[in-house]
Amino acid sequence: MEREYLKENFIGGTWKPSHSRSRFQNVNPADTGDLIGEFPSSDREDVDEAVNTARQAFPAWRSLSSIERAAILSRAANLLESRLEEVARALTREEGKALAESRAEVARGVLILRYYAGAGLLDIGEVIPSANARSLMYTTRVPLGVVAVITPWNFPVAIPCWKIAPALIYGNTVVFKPSELSPLTAALIVELLAQAGVPAGVLNLVQGLGSVAGQALVEHGGINAITFTGSVSTGKMIARLALDRNVKYQLEMGGKNPAIVLDDADLAQATELIVSGAMRGAGERCTSTSRAIVMESVYDELRERILDRCARLVIGPGTDPSTDIGPLISEAQREKVLGYVELGKKEGAKLALGGRIPQGERYRHGYYVEPTVFVDVRPEMQIAQEEIFGPVLSLISVQTFEEALAVANSVRYGLSAALFTKDLNAALEFAERVEAGLVRVNGETAGVEPQAPFGGMKESSSYSREQGQAAKEFFTQLKTIHLSRAGM
């Protein structure tokens, strides 16, 4: 039975409507006739209540040992694992991705929670030699206070988990504002953490529009830190507001990720991983492969392999086991993607596959776009420069490794990059010189592991890193302590 309380805010351990009682609708992107529910359209009053509640809960939460907090995260991991299918199906219904991908994402959420439960047992400081032999000098890490967690819709389990879990394990309290396009999945995550024993007020959920609730949250004087994943324009706005108030901030904002294919590459492997990186999740991933930069000597063969593989992808609702590509998240996102398709054609790129809304009853009520491949793309074209966030791949021909590297680095983003080769020297040169925070050789640009730092260069991030032990750097601040013996 559907739990109606999940369609409310969660503040101070209680599910409650917004003060204004205003609500917004959330629909299934695969079937717009399927109304998932109406959720609170929160405003500044709701945000103020959530932040004040989190501030009141902070002293007691930070006073717990990290081992006590770890036990709660461990229970949350077990609860999420026990309800994996329920959460995965809610994710697919709300976000659209294939059910197999949703299950994998929820499983990753379980792993993230377990990883940060384990982090609660690790050291948080070091002893430092002192010039005074009668003194002890050491460092420790202390929490920041109230952290605003603002997340997107494309990974509504994984991204909240990899922000909320480290925030909690290191003693912070949280106000969580998810995307208005994935409110139900967010509520499920909060419910599980509350059931695991997170005390009232430590984790608060405020639903609503980014332009209202999100804006109110980043401007609130009671916030000590902001962690955000989303667009560059919003990220830059958050950075300006945070800098003005001297609030710590962390931004992950997008990518235009290249996959370079050298002439000695295993083309079957390159084809499979480039297509997966470009098309899986309907291309709605910041680490999606959007540019294949291919040596001229193998360009024709790889082009035909990629076109053949993409033509065999199955489009449909994520609940269909045969589906490879689900719908885009919204009508606005579909229009944006189709706009880039038209722009690519006007710029002179050759549309070799897709670029249309699929026809038929199966697609009539969803936001579908065919897998799309442009060939003979020039590096300066906008479709090769701007993040599209859809199932669109551009193929670019180059003559040398140096040219390929220059093309890869010619965009304003620097999130992830891949190289396909058997040449160790080329691999090492690529790893050193490509301008990306995540580098893979003979691997897909998309996909991250919770134990490894994640983040980008240039306009992809704020030069901070998420996940792994790097999370400790953001969610805590260092304190140096110098103890001297009393007396002479």
Side-chain angles (χ1 to χ4, degrees), residues 235-251:
K236 287 183 175 181
M237 179 271 291
I238 289 172
R240 288 191 291 269
L241 290 170
L243 184 63
D244 187 56
R245 294 196 294 108
N246 196 30
V247 170
K248 197 172 186 180
Y249 64 91
Q250 176 187 67
L251 312 173

Side-chain angles (χ1 to χ4, degrees), residues 289-369:
T289 308
S290 57
R291 298 177 293 154
I293 303 167
V294 188
M295 295 291 283
E296 186 178 47
S297 58
V298 295
Y299 180 85
D300 289 345
E301 182 179 352
L302 186 69
R303 177 192 62 208
E304 295 310 309
R305 284 175 176 265
I306 286 175
L307 291 173
D308 175 70
R309 183 69 185 90
C310 287
R312 290 186 283 112
L313 294 172
V314 177
I315 311 168
T319 50
D320 184 336
S322 68
T323 291
D324 296 306
I325 301 178
L328 296 174
I329 188 66
S330 67
E331 178 65 22
Q333 185 62 25
R334 182 168 70 176
E335 289 305 308
K336 175 187 174 185
V337 170
L338 293 175
Y340 273 110
V341 171
E342 292 305 310
L343 178 61
K345 291 191 288 187
K346 288 178 182 177
E347 288 183 308
K350 180 180 177 182
L351 180 61
L353 184 73
R356 299 166 299 185
I357 298 173
Q359 300 301 302
E361 187 61 31
R362 177 179 172 89
Y363 312 110
R364 188 179 304 278
H365 302 293
Y367 304 124
Y368 296 97
V369 171

Side-chain angles (χ1 to χ4, degrees), residues 49 67 253 282 386:
E49 181 186 2
I67 295 175
M253 296 177 290
E386 298 179 12

Side-chain angles (χ1 to χ4, degrees), residues 398-450:
V398 294
Q399 295 186 339
T400 66
F401 172 74
E402 288 296 326
E403 183 186 359
L405 193 60
V407 170
N409 289 338
S410 68
V411 298
R412 60 183 175 136
Y413 299 103
L415 185 54
S416 66
L419 173 71
F420 292 91
T421 185
K422 298 171 186 172
D423 184 338
L424 178 59
N425 287 345
L428 291 171
E429 193 74 8
F430 172 77
E432 181 178 331
R433 294 172 58 193
V434 72
E435 296 168 356
L438 177 63
V439 179
R440 288 217 166 100
V441 176
N442 297 319
E444 188 179 321
T445 61
V448 296
E449 297 187 43

Side-chain angles (χ1 to χ4, degrees), residues 273-297:
L273 294 178
I274 288 171
V275 170
S276 174
M279 304 300 169
R280 196 157 52 91
E284 294 177 317
R285 298 179 292 176
C286 56
T287 53
S288 287
T289 308
S290 57
R291 298 177 293 154
I293 303 167
V294 188
M295 295 291 283
E296 186 178 47
S297 58

